């Protein structure tokens, strides 16, 4: 299983503000934590992402580096909000289950 490719698919789906597309990539018991929230379960995570999508005109993830180890990837990225109005430097730690679904995303800003 190519976790880097799955990670890029996740980033592209997120950048397209496609909440239903994310649903197909996430496990039912997915966990999401970032600097502003923590959510458990697919419905809560989808709703949290939809709230992000609704709050911006555009959002784009620009990967800088993706490293794969075991069942996870660690990705350094820039997140561009509304073009280049706001740029966040973020590191995501993304864990995958044996089915290739994302079971945890922990995001760190800085």
């Amino acid at each position: 299983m190519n976790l880097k490719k799955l990670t890029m698919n996740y980033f592209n789906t997120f950048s397209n503000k496609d909440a239903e597309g994310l649903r197909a990539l996430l496990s039912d018991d997915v966990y999401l934590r970032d600097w502003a929230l923590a959510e458990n379960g697919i419905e809560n995570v989808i709703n949290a992402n939809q709230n992000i999508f609704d709050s911006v005109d555009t959002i784009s993830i620009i990967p800088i580096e993706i490293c794969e180890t075991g069942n996870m990837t660690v990705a350094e990225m820039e997140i561009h909000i509304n073009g280049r109005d706001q740029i966040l430097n973020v590191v995501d730690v993304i864990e995958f289950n044996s089915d290739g679904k994302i079971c945890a995303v922990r995001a760190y800003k800085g």
Side-chain angles (χ1 to χ4, degrees):
M1 179 173 357
N2 186 332
L3 299 184
K4 286 184 181 182
K5 185 175 178 179
L6 293 173
T7 298
M8 280 304 303
N9 190 25
Y10 170 69
F11 291 161
N12 290 333
T13 304
F14 189 95
S15 293
N16 288 328
K17 297 172 49 172
D18 182 0
E20 288 308 307
L22 288 178
R23 182 182 301 277
L25 304 175
L26 304 175
S27 68
D28 289 340
D29 61 347
V30 65
Y31 172 70
L32 170 67
R33 184 184 75 214
D34 68 14
W35 54 93
L37 59 86
E39 297 291 347
N40 285 299
I42 194 164
E43 293 306 323
N44 293 334
V45 170
I46 292 294
N47 289 338
N49 280 290
Q50 188 62 57
N51 289 338
I52 293 168
F53 299 156
D54 292 344
S55 72
V56 298
D57 292 327
T58 63
I59 190 163
S60 299
I61 296 176
I62 312 299
I64 297 169
E65 184 71 40
I66 300 173
C67 299
E68 182 178 335
T69 181
N71 70 329
M72 69 176 61
T73 56
V74 178
E76 179 185 5
M77 70 195 84
E78 288 184 348
I79 299 177
H80 294 203
I81 299 171
N82 298 328
R84 294 184 63 88
D85 284 354
Q86 184 178 6
I87 299 174
L88 302 175
N89 294 304
V90 176
V91 171
D92 273 3
V93 177
I94 303 172
E95 291 183 49
F96 296 85
N97 66 20
S98 59
D99 295 325
K101 300 274 186 165
I102 296 170
C103 57
V105 177
R106 292 181 310 277
Y108 303 92
K109 182 171 75 166

